[in-house]
């Protein structure tokens, strides 16, 4: 199977106008396969395996982890998009280990994605598995499909949000979360 994929990659190299047998490209098919295993490793992970929760001992305020770097691949062009995720929740009975928010982000980002779905998947998974009073997720992304081809706008960015529970229902909670996401 892997040999078949290597041959397809050699075909692609030839189709774009290069020689897959020249020295600099001889090992490229194997390197591409290795990079794909990392870039698309999110398919091999179960969201519930990421969760390590602890009993909430009375904390009723917002918990935010911001500036979580993410790297993903656009499902439309198979080009990278990357940026920062800001994730907040107000706990009910459980809290989650802080690093798990970054792991959850990476797990979904390491798939063919669009930013809107990525944002929703993070928020929905937290709501389903943590059962907090509410969740807010904001992603700020830069997309190579827009930067390096098409309209070629290098400074453009995309912002998406997904709000659940009290983050959607209570204006003051939503405003607090969005304001804290902006602060440096």
């Amino acid at each position: 199977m892997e040999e078949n994929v290597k041959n397809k990659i050699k075909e692609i190299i030839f189709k774009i106008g290069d020689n897959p047998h020249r020295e600099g490209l001889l090992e490229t098919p194997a390197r591409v396969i290795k990079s794909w295993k990392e870039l698309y490793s999110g398919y091999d992970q179960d969201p519930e395996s990421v969760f390590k929760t602890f009993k909430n001992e009375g904390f009723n305020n917002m918990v935010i982890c911001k500036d979580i770097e993410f790297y993903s691949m656009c499902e439309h062009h198979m080009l990278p998009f990357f940026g920062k995720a800001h994730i907040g929740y107000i706990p009910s009975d459980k809290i989650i280990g802080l690093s798990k928010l970054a792991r959850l982000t990476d797990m979904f980002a390491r798939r063919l994605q669009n930013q809107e779905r990525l944002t929703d998947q993070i928020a929905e998974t937290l709501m389903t598995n943590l059962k907090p009073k509410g969740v807010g997720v904001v992603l700020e992304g830069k997309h190579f499909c827009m930067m390096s081809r098409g309209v070629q706008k290098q400074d453009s960015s995309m912002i998406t949000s997904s709000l659940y529970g009290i983050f959607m229902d209570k204006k003051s909670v939503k405003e607090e979360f969005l304001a804290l996401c902006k602060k440096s």
Side-chain angles (χ1 to χ4, degrees):
M1 168 89 142
E2 195 165 300
E3 202 56 43
N4 188 30
V5 176
K6 284 181 185 177
N7 288 331
K8 296 290 184 192
I9 294 168
K10 287 178 189 176
E11 264 183 63
I12 292 168
I13 292 169
F14 179 76
K15 295 270 188 202
I16 62 174
D18 213 324
N19 177 2
H21 301 290
R22 76 174 168 85
E23 183 182 1
L25 294 174
L26 286 175
E27 295 178 31
T28 296
R31 286 191 295 263
V32 168
I33 290 170
K34 184 178 178 185
S35 74
W36 283 351
K37 286 178 181 174
E38 185 175 347
L39 290 171
Y40 303 117
S41 62
Y43 290 111
D44 297 330
Q45 298 176 340
D46 174 18
E48 291 184 25
S49 70
V50 171
F51 276 79
K52 172 68 175 169
T53 60
F54 305 93
K55 184 181 183 324
N56 181 17
E57 298 176 4
F59 188 79
N60 293 314
N61 293 300
M62 198 174 296
V63 176
I64 297 176
C65 185
K66 59 184 263 183
D67 296 330
I68 302 168
E69 304 95 4
F70 71 86
Y71 304 90
S72 193
M73 296 294 279
C74 162
E75 66 183 25
H76 302 128
H77 304 98
M78 291 185 76
L79 290 171
F81 71 95
F82 61 95
K84 296 193 179 202
H86 313 295
I87 303 172
Y89 72 96
I90 297 178
S92 289
D93 298 330
K94 299 181 282 185
I95 59 172
I96 191 169
L98 184 59
S99 69
K100 306 312 180 208
L101 298 174
R103 290 187 195 283
L104 186 64
T105 301
D106 284 345
M107 183 194 63
F108 286 121
R110 296 295 182 164
R111 301 174 180 190
L112 288 173
Q113 278 289 12
N114 64 53
Q115 187 171 322
E116 298 90 339
R117 182 185 317 106
L118 176 57
T119 308
D120 276 343
Q121 285 176 327
I122 296 165
E124 288 173 8
T125 301
L126 281 169
M127 279 302 286
T128 300
N129 291 282
L130 192 58
K131 298 184 181 12
K133 294 175 184 169
V135 168
V137 176
V138 171
L139 265 57
E140 301 175 48
K142 290 192 162 278
H143 294 248
F144 270 28
C145 58
M146 195 163 160
M147 296 168 69
S148 64
R149 54 158 302 281
V151 296
Q152 298 185 21
K153 301 299 176 205
Q154 285 73 41
D155 291 328
S156 64
S157 62
M158 179 175 177
I159 299 174
T160 51
S161 67
S162 188
L163 306 171
Y164 285 86
I166 197 167
F167 282 70
M168 179 59 90
D169 301 334
K170 195 168 181 185
K171 185 179 177 185
S172 63
V173 173
K174 180 180 183 177
E175 288 173 350
E176 177 185 1
F177 172 66
L178 295 175
L180 289 171
C181 285
K182 289 180 185 177
K183 288 187 178 179
S184 297

